[in-house]
Amino acid sequence: MERDDRQFYHLDANRKARRLFGEVVFAEGKATDHLQACIRGLLEANGEVLVTRLAPEAYEGLDDLKEQLDYDPLSKTATAGTKKEPVGSVAVVTAGTSDVAVAEECVRSLSYFGVKATRFYDVGVAGIHRLFEHMDAIAACDVIVVIAGMDGALPSVVAGLVTSPVIAVPTSVGYGASFEGVAALLSMLNACAEGVAVVNIDNGYGAAYMAAEIVYAIRQKTR
């Protein structure tokens, strides 16, 4: 049987009709020509695209596509499409500055989804007074995304002080016994405070998607 040159991907152009948002391109591990084809396909089908885990060297290999993309090397995300008027409010909170790359993936994804994000960075439990300085603003948000490595304690602390749902993101930040984020993941899964949901290690995009769905459910607004 003759091989189809497009067999390496199956574009889900109608996902937005089933879910709140359309298909997103996960760039890590994709060959350059496959990555280019996926991005072009979604741009042609939907007029917009979000690319995650796009390393700088992979971005450089996109050739003429780079002109259409807004790329951020810190978050390793690229976007294209019409800017949306932001709705709702999501607090994106990090324990430390080392967690900021994951946080920026979350912020950039939220912006792509049309949700307002406010940053509260480097307010971890090692200096808990820094968190308290911002608690009124954090608690006023519809959803709170808390991103932490090391001992992963911050989401439980925040959840005990607010009524909004908390989405916890463990990061791979930490020394050897952190097991590249597994220790933080287990801490978050065992949080004693109610209202904490946990996504995968370093998954800022996954936290943003869930936060955006909650915001739109609250606002009873669909795209």
Side-chain angles (χ1 to χ4, degrees), residues 74-86:
L74 177 60
S75 63
K76 296 182 180 177
T77 61
T79 62
T82 305
K83 295 291 184 182
K84 303 174 181 69
E85 189 67 28

Side-chain angles (χ1 to χ4, degrees), residues 45-69:
N46 298 330
E48 61 181 11
V49 70
L50 168 61
V51 187
T52 65
R53 292 295 180 94
L54 181 61
E57 57 271 22
Y59 169 71
E60 290 301 323
L62 293 179
D63 301 330
D64 61 305
L65 273 174
K66 291 189 293 182
E67 299 175 5
Q68 302 179 58
L69 298 173

Side-chain angles (χ1 to χ4, degrees), residues 120 165 182 204:
F120 301 92
V182 173

